Amino acid sequence: GDVIAVANGVAPEYRPAEKKRGAGKTILYVGRFDPYKNVAGLLDVFAKVHKRCKVPARLKIVGPADPRYPEAPVRARQLGLDPFIDWNGYVSEEGLVKAYQDADVFVLLSRYEGFGLTVLEAMACGTPVVCSNRSSLPEVAGDAAVLVDPDDTEKAADAITRVLEDEKHAAELCGKGVRQAARFTWARCATMTVKAYERARSVERGT
């Protein structure tokens, strides 16, 4: 049969850029605020990182605010973290690429992900990833991310703090991530997306 060349699963503009060398570090979350995304849990983790990390770190949250799910902003205020968080709302694709490129670590502590494209986008941009060990994420991340239990705030905070403080560890994750993202073809994305839909359907049917 004919060989069909398939483009990468991540668009080519998602690629590494020079990291800004500033005193502070940036932790990035990209996504919605639905409860399964566990953004309130991410804020609990950020509170611990904020206390124990030797370098000052900010949390940047990219994604449209959703009045149905006010838990995250409420938790941020309760924890007194508002001065250290940038709520960026919706950004253009160009703005999103820049957010990934500028971040020092991308964090996704979701309890369920059908695919986890944001993990691959962050990796393609050369950003170390700390993500949940649930659903499709271990398969997407491979050994290129630090996988944590999304409900274990201590371990998640330790994992993020280590990436922010240990440059060698961060550089290693960056290299592995770029290679992992490059492995994903659209064909593989499609297969995994179909699998995710099938899994979701079987959950709905209770099978």
Side-chain angles (χ1 to χ4, degrees):
D2 289 352
V3 174
I4 300 166
V6 182
N8 276 346
V10 178
E13 52 271 26
Y14 292 84
R15 59 177 181 269
E18 277 298 306
K19 294 272 179 222
K20 284 210 298 287
R21 290 274 166 253
K25 302 271 185 177
T26 303
I27 299 162
L28 176 67
Y29 166 77
V30 172
R32 302 208 310 268
F33 288 85
D34 305 53
Y36 74 87
K37 290 284 193 181
N38 194 26
V39 185
L42 170 60
L43 291 169
D44 291 335
V45 170
F46 178 55
K48 292 183 189 308
V49 173
H50 183 67
K51 280 199 188 79
R52 65 180 71 154
C53 190
K54 293 187 190 75
V55 288
R58 295 185 69 77
L59 175 62
K60 186 177 203 164
I61 294 180
V62 172
D66 191 327
R68 291 172 302 170
Y69 309 122
E71 297 87 355
V74 168
R75 185 77 53 90
R77 282 195 295 278
Q78 286 169 343
L79 294 165
L81 291 172
D82 258 347
F84 311 101
I85 300 175
D86 301 312
W87 304 88
N88 279 195
Y90 174 81
V91 296
S92 66
E93 187 169 30
E94 207 177 314
L96 180 59
V97 171
K98 192 166 168 19
Y100 283 127
Q101 289 171 338
D102 288 348
D104 294 285
V105 61
F106 174 77
V107 182
L108 178 62
L109 299 179
S110 182
R111 294 196 178 91
Y112 173 78
E113 277 308 313
F115 181 65
L117 185 62
T118 54
V119 163
L120 286 180
E121 288 174 343
M123 286 178 171
C125 291
T127 300
V129 171
V130 173
C131 72
S132 167
N133 61 5
R134 302 273 175 93
S135 63
S136 65
L137 293 174
E139 196 177 342
V140 171
D143 68 347
V146 183
L147 296 173
V148 294
D149 179 333
D151 296 312
D152 189 335
T153 54
E154 283 297 320
K155 283 221 174 69
D158 282 345
I160 294 164
T161 301
R162 188 178 168 210
V163 174
L164 296 177
E165 290 181 349
D166 182 342
E167 282 182 21
K168 189 165 175 275
H169 176 55
E172 201 174 290
L173 285 170
C174 161
K176 282 181 174 175
V178 169
R179 287 193 295 277
Q180 177 72 359
R183 258 185 225 131
F184 270 80
T185 61
W186 275 114
R188 186 159 179 213
C189 284
T191 307
M192 285 190 69
T193 306
V194 168
K195 267 204 272 186
Y197 279 123
E198 283 168 357
R199 196 183 299 140
R201 272 213 310 275
S202 68
V203 168
E204 279 166 22
R205 287 199 300 265
T207 53

